[in-house]
């Protein structure tokens, strides 16, 4: 199957930076779009940023100009550079990948287990 593993979360002061990584592994034939989502306590999961295979990106308005999404397709790895962090960025951040598996050649959405980001004021 497919496994997505996030890393890089932690505790940071407001104004600080963090870089999240998400490594995809397993029976992967191809990966289409990849994205970062986040979920704060008591709130629904929301899209933070998304990147296509061609490198086209889109961001939530709340993170534009502060966050940068990128990917290394050769390594099946997704990144999120987060600068000028605010307390309202505190959430669990999840990696998402639209992935085709070798066994079935079917496309499915896969999710990581999440990594906690906490921004203190």
């Amino acid at each position: 199957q497919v496994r997505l593993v996030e890393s890089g979360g932690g505790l940071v002061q407001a104004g600080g930076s963090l870089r999240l990584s998400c490594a995809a592994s397993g029976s992967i034939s191809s990966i289409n779009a990849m994205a970062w989502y986040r979920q704060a306590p008591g709130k629904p999961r929301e899209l933070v940023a998304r990147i296509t295979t061609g490198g086209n990106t889109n961001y939530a308005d709340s993170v534009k100009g502060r966050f940068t999404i990128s990917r290394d397709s050769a390594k099946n790895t997704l990144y999120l550079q987060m600068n000028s962090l605010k307390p309202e960025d505190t959430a669990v951040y999840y990696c998402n990948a639209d992935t085709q598996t070798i066994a079935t050649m079917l496309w499915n959405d896969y999710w990581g287990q999440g990594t906690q980001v906490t921004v203190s004021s």
Side-chain angles (χ1 to χ4, degrees):
Q1 279 293 352
V2 175
R3 187 181 182 207
L4 301 180
V5 179
E6 301 100 333
S7 61
L11 173 64
V12 64
Q13 288 189 332
S17 298
L18 284 174
R19 188 189 194 214
L20 305 183
S21 300
C22 170
S25 62
S27 181
I28 297 171
S29 173
S30 184
I31 299 178
N32 196 2
M34 301 183 79
W36 289 99
Y37 286 76
R38 68 185 181 187
Q39 187 167 21
K43 294 186 177 181
R45 190 172 296 188
E46 63 174 356
L47 176 67
V48 175
R50 182 176 180 271
I51 185 168
T52 67
T53 52
N56 293 317
T57 59
N58 61 282
Y59 296 90
D61 287 343
S62 58
V63 307
K64 282 180 181 176
R66 300 188 297 122
F67 291 10
T68 302
I69 189 171
S70 61
R71 65 191 287 177
D72 184 335
S73 295
K75 296 181 179 179
N76 287 336
T77 302
L78 179 69
Y79 304 98
L80 185 68
Q81 178 66 44
M82 304 186 295
N83 299 327
S84 302
L85 282 161
K86 304 176 180 180
E88 50 263 44
D89 294 318
T90 296
V92 177
Y93 284 70
Y94 296 91
C95 173
N96 170 266
D98 183 22
T99 305
Q100 182 185 44
T101 58
I102 294 174
T104 66
M105 299 305 284
L106 294 177
W107 291 88
N108 282 293
D109 257 354
Y110 289 89
W111 294 86
Q113 82 289 350
T115 184
Q116 177 70 46
V117 171
T118 303
V119 184
S120 63
S121 57

